[in-house]
Amino acid sequence: MDDQAAGGGTPVGRRVVLGMLGLGAAGVVWGSKLADVFNRVLAPVQAMDGTGLTSLLPAAGRFRIYSVVGFLPRRTPAEYRLRVTGLVERPLELTLADLQALTPVRLVRDFQCVTGWRVPEVPWKGAALSAVLDAAGVKPEGRAVSFKSFDRSYTESLTLDQARRPDVLVAYELEDKPVSGAHGGPVRLYVAPMYGYKSCKWLEEIEVTATVVEGYWEERGYDTDAWIGRSNGRRDDPVG
Amino acid sequence: MAAATTPSGERAGGRRTSEKHPPLLRFAPVERALHWANATLFLVLIATAAVLYLAPLSALVGRRPLLRDIHVIAGFLLPVPWLVARWGPWSAPLRADVRRMARFDALDRRWARSFGRDPFAKVGKFHPLQKLNAAFTAGSIPVMIGTGAVMHWFGWFPLEWRTGATFVHDWVSLAIFVVVAIHISKAVSDREAMRGMWSGEVGARWARRHHPRWYYEVIGHAEGEIVPRVLKPGRTGSDT
């Protein structure tokens, strides 16, 4: 008879289970710091890995596709229109070609999500949001900008001063390719110095308003001023 | 474990006529039901996780909220098969096997110290690696439910915990994927082990070869009795 059947022996099962519970709890409390370390260690490994297998590892710099609705909204580049409305002199309806006719701005910046993942050195290209606003002409009483997504659910917002920063783009290229549907294409917002939820995907409308209208995630508890490293209780390296 | 023997003299189905002993009962119905209920939930969780986590699959399948709901519900259901099996009137064989599973006896320790090379470290009803697999799986359930709960109801916790919980959930899920993949590949490469989990029965020859201590326990030789046939070190450990 196995002697464990009589109750003797090393309680390996209990040790494994309790050890996992202890590590799991510690990981929840301190995991955000550990995740930073993992990110730093794995980023160079991933950069050298031609197979792409390490991109499957958690914490290695990679995008995760989020959407707040049950589908990935689709709109072809040809049928795409961006409306600029609200407190503007000239309401606009821009095609992708109109946006591309504005001076292109290319930025290479880390992309930081408020849930912890960070993609290093992502190239973005688009028109400066300030140039789009100037084309429409912001009225003096316009103090903020709201963004609407053609997923029919997502909204975001910035103050006018934030919106006029040179590192805020109406982006149509990501990683030197047209922004894919999964990443919010054909056109999305990119707010470099703020957490990813400010970078409204599937951008359909820019509305100039008198005051900041809180967006989808702000209504659910996220900070409205979402500076990376200085908001949402996080201490990530700032971007910008 | 005398209760685990099949009535001697009966032979199920006449398979393996060369064997001197009828098949042995390895897993009681309650254990098989628990195993397959658990396996179904794990496979649902792994499949939905893959779609939620892997960007190309996400883009292909979409329907993110539905998959997330399935994933969350399946996750919170994980303890149910265990609770029903463990606390119902049918629990006796399960409890007996959990007692065996949970402990490394002297020969298991000897097996582990020699990394499986000691020919005298005979395997009992459960291989030491099966014991570790069971302990890991058991431990992973509360860890994944706990971290999953923090991710699901993130508003109730510090934002740092959300990152930490995501970190733990990601890495433990990777470990689960590896362990489950090994477990399944071992199972499909050993038809007799698979038969044990489908029908409950295993051939006597297989039992003697892979679980010699259990085999002699069941067929009634006293422990330590010299049985020359077992002294020939059979290859152990091909079933998990």
Side-chain angles (χ1 to χ4, degrees):
Chain A
M1 196 157 207
D2 295 23
D3 52 323
Q4 74 264 28
T10 315
V12 168
R14 183 169 46 193
R15 287 179 193 171
V16 168
V17 171
L18 291 180
M20 287 176 72
L21 285 173
L23 281 175
V28 169
V29 176
W30 293 296
S32 69
K33 289 177 189 68
L34 210 56
D36 291 345
V37 175
F38 272 60
N39 276 330
R40 285 193 188 111
V41 172
L42 283 173
V45 176
Q46 198 202 355
M48 287 182 295
D49 170 24
T51 64
L53 283 177
T54 52
S55 69
L56 298 177
L57 291 177
R62 52 186 284 284
F63 279 98
R64 298 191 186 183
I65 305 302
Y66 292 152
S67 163
V68 299
V69 294
F71 54 92
L72 289 175
R74 296 273 175 220
R75 204 154 287 191
T76 66
E79 69 191 8
Y80 177 78
R81 297 290 183 276
L82 173 64
R83 290 196 308 278
V84 186
T85 62
L87 302 171
V88 292
E89 307 290 351
R90 296 170 294 280
L92 300 175
E93 190 168 280
L94 303 172
T95 63
L96 184 57
D98 294 336
L99 286 169
Q100 286 165 336
L102 296 168
T103 313
V105 180
R106 189 171 182 276
L107 293 175
V108 180
R109 297 279 193 280
D110 290 3
F111 190 88
Q112 174 77 50
C113 178
V114 74
T115 61
W117 52 270
R118 185 179 183 108
V119 187
E121 298 183 13
V122 183
W124 296 87
K125 190 170 152 188
L129 175 60
S130 63
V132 176
L133 293 172
D134 287 344
V138 176
K139 289 182 177 170
E141 59 269 37
R143 305 304 314 150
V145 187
S146 283
F147 306 95
K148 291 192 186 70
S149 164
F150 60 77
D151 70 1
R152 295 156 186 247
S153 294
Y154 202 77
T155 55
E156 255 310 332
S157 64
L158 293 169
T159 67
L160 192 62
D161 288 342
Q162 291 165 358
R164 287 199 178 284
R165 286 177 61 108
D167 52 1
V168 178
L169 306 184
V170 177
Y172 44 77
E173 278 188 23
L174 166 60
E175 291 169 338
D176 298 316
K177 294 187 294 279
V179 180
S180 70
H183 284 295
V187 174
R188 69 177 291 175
L189 194 66
Y190 174 56
V191 184
M194 295 195 178
Y195 286 107
Y197 63 90
K198 299 301 278 192
S199 294
C200 179
K201 291 161 82 165
W202 306 295
L203 183 63
E204 177 176 52
E205 183 177 348
I206 298 172
E207 183 184 358
V208 178
T209 55
T211 54
V212 167
V213 181
E214 289 197 331
Y216 183 91
W217 281 114
E218 283 98 62
E219 287 171 355
R220 289 160 176 77
Y222 284 13
D223 288 347
T224 307
D225 293 323
W227 304 107
I228 295 170
R230 291 190 278 129
S231 65
N232 293 299
R234 297 184 56 86
R235 289 180 295 280
D236 307 292
D237 291 338
V239 171
Chain B
M1 303 315 304
T5 13
T6 48
S8 56
E10 281 179 38
R11 181 171 286 167
R15 231 172 134 249
R16 294 176 175 267
T17 44
S18 65
E19 289 196 2
K20 290 190 179 69
H21 294 281
L24 313 185
L25 178 64
R26 182 158 172 77
F27 292 114
V30 60
E31 297 173 301
R32 283 177 274 142
L34 172 59
H35 174 271
W36 291 113
N38 219 26
T40 306
L41 288 173
F42 264 77
L43 290 180
V44 167
L45 286 161
I46 288 171
T48 48
V51 178
L52 291 170
Y53 182 81
L54 299 172
L57 279 179
S58 291
L60 199 68
V61 179
R63 306 193 65 80
R64 206 178 167 81
L66 174 68
L67 291 170
R68 183 197 54 207
D69 289 348
I70 294 173
H71 188 82
V72 168
I73 291 166
F76 287 123
L77 283 178
L78 273 177
V80 173
W82 162 254
L83 292 175
V84 172
R86 173 62 182 79
W87 299 102
W90 38 68
S91 68
L94 174 65
R95 282 184 283 124
D97 274 347
V98 167
R99 276 198 296 279
R100 288 175 182 263
M101 281 271 191
R103 288 173 182 275
F104 268 24
D105 62 16
L107 285 174
D108 290 331
R109 284 195 297 275
R110 193 164 155 179
W111 182 93
R113 273 198 305 274
S114 70
F115 298 102
R117 285 193 297 261
D118 184 339
F120 294 101
K122 296 290 178 200
V123 174
K125 182 167 186 181
F126 300 113
H127 192 280
L129 291 178
Q130 287 178 305
K131 295 182 179 186
L132 290 177
N133 175 53
F136 171 80
T137 306
S140 73
I141 290 173
V143 169
M144 294 305 269
I145 289 177
T147 53
V150 175
M151 292 159 77
H152 193 63
W153 292 294
F154 60 88
W156 298 359
F157 303 97
L159 256 176
E160 287 234 306
W161 284 29
R162 186 188 189 189
T163 309
T166 308
F167 175 76
V168 173
H169 206 83
D170 281 358
W171 281 98
V172 176
S173 67
L174 185 66
I176 289 172
F177 178 80
V178 171
V179 169
V180 168
I182 294 171
H183 176 72
I184 292 176
S185 73
K186 288 278 190 189
V188 299
S189 68
D190 185 342
R191 292 183 58 179
E192 200 60 17
M194 197 71 167
R195 187 163 81 97
M197 198 45 94
W198 273 124
S199 72
E201 286 180 346
V202 291
R205 178 193 300 243
W206 179 90
R208 199 177 72 200
R209 180 178 159 92
H210 294 284
H211 299 276
R213 275 199 284 152
W214 174 63
Y215 170 77
Y216 285 108
E217 177 191 322
V218 172
I219 67 161
H221 288 284
E223 185 177 15
E225 183 178 338
I226 293 172
V227 184
R229 281 167 305 176
V230 231
L231 286 179
K232 182 172 158 234
R235 216 175 71 75
T236 57
S238 67
D239 62 302
T240 302

